[in-house]
Amino acid sequence: MDAAEFRRRGREMVDYVADYLENIEQRPVYPDVEPGYLRSLIPTEAPLEPDNYDDIIKDVERIIMPGVTHWQSPYFFAYFPAASSYPAMLADMLCGAIGCIGFSWAASPACTELETVMLDWLGKMLKLPEHFIAGTHGHGGGVIQSTASEATLMSLLAARCKAVRRVQETNPERLEAEVLSKLVAYSSEQAHSSVERASLIGGVMMRKVPTDNTYAVGGGMLKKMLEEDRAAGLIPFYFCATLGTTSSCAFDHITELGPICNEENMWMHIDAAYAGSAFICPEFRPLLNGIEFADSFNFNPHKWLLINFDCSTMWVKKRQDIIGAFKVEPLYLKHENQESGRHWQIPLGRRFRSLKMWFVFRLYGIEGLQAHIRKQVVLAKEFESLVRADKRFEICAEVVMGLVCFRLKGSNELNQLLLKRITESRTIHLVPCQLSGLFVLRFAVCSRVTDSGHVQHAWRQITQLSCELLQSDH
């Protein structure tokens, strides 16, 4: 493919993408295929001679689209949003074209510097404490990770390194392996599974802190567990607080938890993967009060801030804590300007992801991004009101943002069957969670183009399937 054909095919692809997104609600949101469907539709080996481009595009519709779960559909209400917008797509095209691997300042000065500035822009939108902003007199700063899972792992590994060094400074005779065997991390029992996975990768034990009746962790329970563990000779070193849990969008009480972590010399990481985007709205910013106690903070603009995957933003209070834990300097990577995101992450290579932030922030503006978040919160409240008006259903957790947890009154089996029928209908897509032993349905407003009509349609579909289910039950 030469430049001339690339221009022509590029225009065609932009049209295809625009048509796909404009007409996406006409496609079944959930695919009707069985595992292994794709293997029989394509050759067993790569072609020896080049294929025809037109045939490839035909096969996209014939082979790929039938197996796609359409996350950008206005009838997709599962998980949390996978952000998408035209400005972010254009920036991704430019990122692919530039094709730099920004592992150092010298490898791509613009890639390195724009990322630092964009994290400062976003940090100021969130009104983060000054010590998290790189362009100040503070010692912190921000970096783009691939996912919140990586951010959690990096914070835990940095905290582990810091804790081992601290113990060995006062007890130099203690071996690292001995110290590691005594370290213990903590998280909410409602925390995302990636937090527990981070402890497995990091080789440290993790204890899950029970939550209150709002599914949030409070200071009293954490303090009790810390006292028990210290009495048993363990070394508490890390706590991961969650703002906006996956199951119910609950918010740990970080104004209580933060001072405890600081007093106990524990690293506090805050995971706000979904909810963090909403903190750019003044009415939601109080939920972030207590951030000043945190050592690190992360959320995913690729969930709710119109920036496509992957773009997970992470800030640290003291950048030396994370750089010092992972800095390795072979000669071929050395340069007089050593400030680089590679010291903050697991992979060496870095994509030019900050271009997406730059395009989206400039083309939407803060007010446009706030309007997007507020619209989706209003839609969630609309769905909540529909559920509350039907006495057959119940709301299972407070609706704070764009997530509604609800269920049919009755057994877990009844709700499992309802979700099965919803999934089989392929007209809307939901996923479940478990709250207080109950099987609960999650309704998350996800697509950028979801409006009231789509919410009303979803509710009609749910109530119709519920009626059929209840009638067959009787």
Side-chain angles (χ1 to χ4, degrees):
M1 183 180 289
D2 58 18
E5 186 181 2
F6 176 72
R7 291 177 191 275
R8 179 164 62 89
R9 298 303 190 183
R11 294 187 188 99
E12 290 173 3
M13 181 57 75
V14 168
D15 284 340
Y16 179 86
V17 169
D19 288 343
Y20 166 73
L21 291 171
E22 283 189 328
N23 300 298
I24 194 169
E25 64 182 275
Q26 296 172 18
R27 297 177 184 261
V29 64
Y30 192 72
D32 185 20
V33 296
E34 295 295 327
Y37 89 96
L38 188 142
R39 183 172 287 277
S40 64
L41 299 177
I42 61 176
T44 56
E45 296 179 359
L48 189 61
E49 300 293 328
D51 267 351
N52 181 282
Y53 181 84
D54 289 321
D55 290 339
I56 295 173
I57 293 302
K58 288 175 185 173
D59 282 347
V60 169
E61 282 295 333
R62 183 177 71 90
I63 299 170
I64 303 302
M65 287 300 177
V68 170
T69 299
H70 297 285
W71 281 62
Q72 306 309 320
S73 168
Y75 298 121
F76 183 92
F77 302 105
Y79 311 108
F80 277 132
S84 177
S85 67
Y86 293 121
M89 289 180 225
L90 292 173
D92 246 353
M93 287 175 62
L94 180 57
C95 172
I98 292 173
C100 68
I101 311 297
F103 52 73
S104 70
W105 183 88
S108 186
C111 178
T112 301
E113 295 192 16
L114 185 64
E115 183 166 329
T116 301
V117 176
M118 287 303 99
L119 269 291
D120 279 3
W121 274 21
L122 184 52
K124 290 173 183 176
M125 287 187 219
L126 297 164
K127 293 183 168 52
L128 293 183
E130 195 174 86
H131 55 242
F132 285 113
I133 308 300
T136 68
H137 299 297
H139 299 287
V143 68
I144 300 175
Q145 304 282 3
S146 297
T147 63
S149 306
E150 282 189 22
T152 301
L153 176 59
M154 290 301 290
S155 67
L156 181 136
L157 293 177
R160 185 187 74 175
C161 179
K162 190 175 182 180
V164 170
R165 288 174 180 171
R166 186 172 61 244
V167 172
Q168 290 185 324
E169 281 172 7
T170 54
N171 299 278
E173 74 285 353
R174 296 188 73 173
L175 298 176
E176 181 174 337
E178 181 199 348
V179 178
L180 287 173
S181 70
K182 299 293 185 182
L183 294 182
V184 57
Y186 304 82
S187 73
S188 165
E189 63 183 2
Q190 293 289 320
H192 192 269
S193 59
S194 61
V195 181
E196 182 178 2
R197 192 163 181 263
S199 73
L200 294 173
I201 296 171
V204 295
M205 70 181 91
M206 176 167 280
R207 294 194 64 194
K208 296 183 179 180
V209 185
T211 56
D212 60 21
N213 59 5
T214 66
Y215 306 108
V217 171
M221 183 55 73
L222 177 64
K223 199 165 184 61
K224 179 174 178 289
M225 292 176 70
L226 295 179
E227 290 169 356
E228 291 172 355
D229 289 345
R230 286 203 185 278
L234 299 175
I235 305 171
F237 80 104
Y238 176 88
F239 175 67
C240 180
T242 305
L243 296 180
T245 58
T246 302
S247 292
S248 66
C249 202
F251 294 82
D252 289 342
H253 304 295
I254 58 174
T255 52
E256 298 176 16
L257 297 161
I260 294 170
C261 291
N262 289 181
E263 289 163 13
E264 297 282 345
N265 217 356
M266 292 169 60
W267 184 299
M268 182 165 82
H269 175 68
I270 294 178
D271 171 15
Y274 163 67
S277 297
F279 300 149
I280 69 169
C281 300
E283 63 270 33
F284 293 119
R285 178 55 179 78
L287 291 165
L288 191 55
N289 289 349
I291 182 66
E292 62 273 14
F293 300 110
D295 294 277
S296 55
F297 167 66
N298 161 255
F299 82 96
N300 293 342
H302 67 230
K303 276 191 167 66
W304 209 10
L305 213 57
L306 298 173
I307 297 167
N308 328 357
F309 188 88
D310 59 341
C311 183
S312 184
T313 49
M314 177 186 184
W315 291 264
V316 292
K317 182 180 287 186
K318 295 179 181 176
R319 53 182 174 267
Q320 195 53 46
D321 283 345
I322 198 162
I323 294 171
F326 307 109
K327 191 169 185 176
V328 178
E329 291 288 17
L331 182 60
Y332 50 81
L333 293 178
K334 281 190 175 180
H335 187 269
E336 60 189 31
N337 189 327
Q338 291 298 337
E339 283 297 316
S340 170
R342 79 168 183 275
H343 300 308
W344 302 50
Q345 64 171 25
I346 295 168
L348 171 66
R350 304 179 56 71
R351 295 174 63 241
F352 203 163
R353 293 173 290 200
S354 55
L355 282 172
K356 295 185 287 192
M357 301 176 74
W358 196 43
F359 274 46
V360 169
F361 293 165
R362 293 182 68 183
L363 288 170
Y364 276 91
I366 296 173
E367 290 181 351
L369 296 170
Q370 290 171 334
H372 167 68
I373 288 163
R374 286 168 177 151
K375 173 193 170 189
Q376 296 210 325
V377 172
V378 167
L379 291 173
K381 288 292 186 182
E382 179 181 353
F383 185 81
E384 179 192 11
S385 68
L386 293 169
V387 176
R388 290 192 184 280
D390 191 322
K391 297 190 184 306
R392 296 170 299 174
F393 289 85
E394 59 185 340
I395 294 290
C396 303
E398 183 185 1
V399 179
V400 179
M401 293 186 178
L403 175 68
V404 183
C405 295
F406 73 106
R407 69 194 302 275
L408 263 175
K409 292 175 181 175
S411 68
N412 284 346
E413 291 73 23
L414 180 67
N415 283 277
Q416 289 168 353
L417 192 53
L418 173 59
L419 182 61
K420 185 172 185 285
R421 295 198 177 184
I422 290 170
T423 302
E424 289 172 348
S425 76
R426 296 175 24 248
T427 55
I428 60 173
H429 189 41
L430 281 69
V431 293
C433 69
Q434 188 172 31
L435 295 172
S436 303
L438 296 176
F439 186 90
V440 173
L441 280 64
R442 295 170 74 263
F443 182 94
V445 182
C446 292
S447 171
R448 174 174 53 85
V449 296
T450 302
D451 60 26
S452 178
H454 301 115
V455 171
Q456 297 281 343
H457 172 85
W459 179 243
R460 286 195 298 272
Q461 183 72 10
I462 291 166
T463 52
Q464 179 184 334
L465 291 171
S466 298
C467 283
E468 294 171 3
L469 187 59
L470 292 168
Q471 287 171 2
S472 66
D473 196 41
H474 290 306

